[in-house]
Amino acid sequence: QKEVEQNSGPLSVPEGAIASLNCTYSDRGSQSFFWYRQYSGKSPELIMSIYSNGDKEDGRFTAQLNKASQYVSLLIRDSQPSDSATYLCAVNNFGNEKLTFGTGTRLTIIP
Amino acid sequence: DVKVTQSSRYLVKRTGEKVFLECVQDMDHENMFWYRQDPGLGLRLIYFSYDVKMKEKGDIPEGYSVSREKKERFSLILESASTNQTSMYLCASRAISYEQYFGPGTRLTVT
């Protein structure tokens, strides 16, 4: 079982709709959770961090964390063509210097 | 804003050459990381450093070494480049909150 799992996609969403990206993780000791956006040929860019259960909103982005169910999700409201990218989920266990990355979900926003 | 820079965006080297990739961060972060990213394989950790002159192997250290003589600078060395080291190399710097910030990446081609 992979430590961090994401649906590879591609996920196609009409412009203006809500895009929902999901990530599950296996280590119950995980403490910190991150979403990165990566455009083709570019490096990952941190867009959201979440550390406690519940929702965290930043502009059109909402991260949701449920530690009991071991999943973290990213919602993108009012999706724009510029949101088309691969989204990487990353998880950290307290005291571990490293992040564990999922393999990413490719999102395409259809105009 | 965190700034992580890498010495080259594109690099072409011949098999057997010694290759140096350099990364510099300006946020006084203690932890720095080198990854490679290949299609279908995701991000794989090569080495990381948690302090000057301190280093730890990641998941795929074979064929690589690192150097950290100053806090802001972390170098990746390919002792004798091989074609299977053709990849995108990404450096990251980690904040105390465990967020990792990536440089722009170096696309290395070994011929």
Side-chain angles (χ1 to χ4, degrees):
Chain A
Q1 181 189 4
K2 290 182 184 175
E3 294 182 50
V4 178
E5 293 209 46
Q6 297 181 252
N7 188 326
S8 61
L11 176 65
S12 296
V13 172
E15 183 175 355
I18 296 174
S20 177
L21 303 162
N22 298 312
C23 171
T24 58
Y25 59 94
S26 59
D27 188 344
R28 282 199 171 274
S30 299
Q31 300 278 337
S32 310
F33 307 85
F34 308 95
W35 283 100
Y36 289 82
R37 177 177 62 199
Q38 186 173 24
Y39 293 116
S40 180
K42 303 293 186 182
S43 62
E45 174 194 7
L46 179 67
I47 55 172
M48 289 291 283
S49 310
I50 187 165
Y51 302 94
S52 54
N53 277 330
D55 295 0
K56 179 181 176 183
E57 190 173 312
D58 184 1
R60 295 186 297 112
F61 297 99
T62 299
Q64 299 176 316
L65 175 62
N66 184 323
K67 289 187 178 179
S69 300
Q70 294 176 244
Y71 82 79
V72 56
S73 61
L74 179 71
L75 302 179
I76 307 174
R77 288 183 301 282
D78 187 25
S79 296
Q80 302 296 310
S82 59
D83 295 325
S84 297
T86 295
Y87 289 81
L88 302 172
C89 172
V91 173
N92 171 259
N93 190 348
F94 181 72
N96 190 337
E97 304 295 340
K98 301 182 286 186
L99 285 182
T100 302
F101 286 86
T103 52
T105 298
R106 188 156 55 97
L107 173 66
T108 301
I109 306 300
I110 303 167
Chain B
D1 277 355
V2 176
K3 188 157 187 192
V4 181
T5 57
Q6 294 183 228
S7 49
S8 307
R9 289 302 310 278
Y10 300 95
L11 208 52
V12 180
K13 295 292 182 182
R14 293 185 182 271
T15 301
E17 279 193 84
K18 192 168 186 175
V19 182
F20 293 87
L21 302 180
E22 195 166 73
C23 175
V24 178
Q25 51 97 359
D26 68 353
M27 284 302 293
D28 202 36
H29 289 166
E30 294 186 350
N31 293 269
M32 297 183 74
F33 303 79
W34 275 106
Y35 297 89
R36 63 178 284 178
Q37 188 175 35
D38 302 286
L41 296 176
L43 278 164
R44 293 183 291 170
L45 180 63
I46 305 171
Y47 266 98
F48 67 99
S49 169
Y50 50 91
D51 203 349
V52 174
K53 297 191 187 292
M54 306 302 286
K55 61 187 180 185
E56 278 203 28
K57 294 179 180 179
D59 301 318
I60 52 163
E62 297 78 19
Y64 303 95
S65 62
V66 290
S67 172
R68 188 143 180 228
E69 298 295 320
K70 292 185 177 182
K71 193 174 187 179
E72 68 271 18
R73 197 177 297 267
F74 190 34
S75 300
L76 180 69
I77 303 152
L78 286 66
E79 297 291 343
S80 177
S82 63
T83 55
N84 63 12
Q85 293 178 310
T86 292
S87 187
M88 170 73 107
Y89 288 88
L90 293 159
C91 174
S93 174
R94 200 204 82 183
I96 198 166
S97 56
Y98 292 91
E99 297 170 341
Q100 287 192 18
Y101 298 92
F102 286 85
T106 296
R107 188 165 293 281
L108 172 67
T109 301
V110 183
T111 62

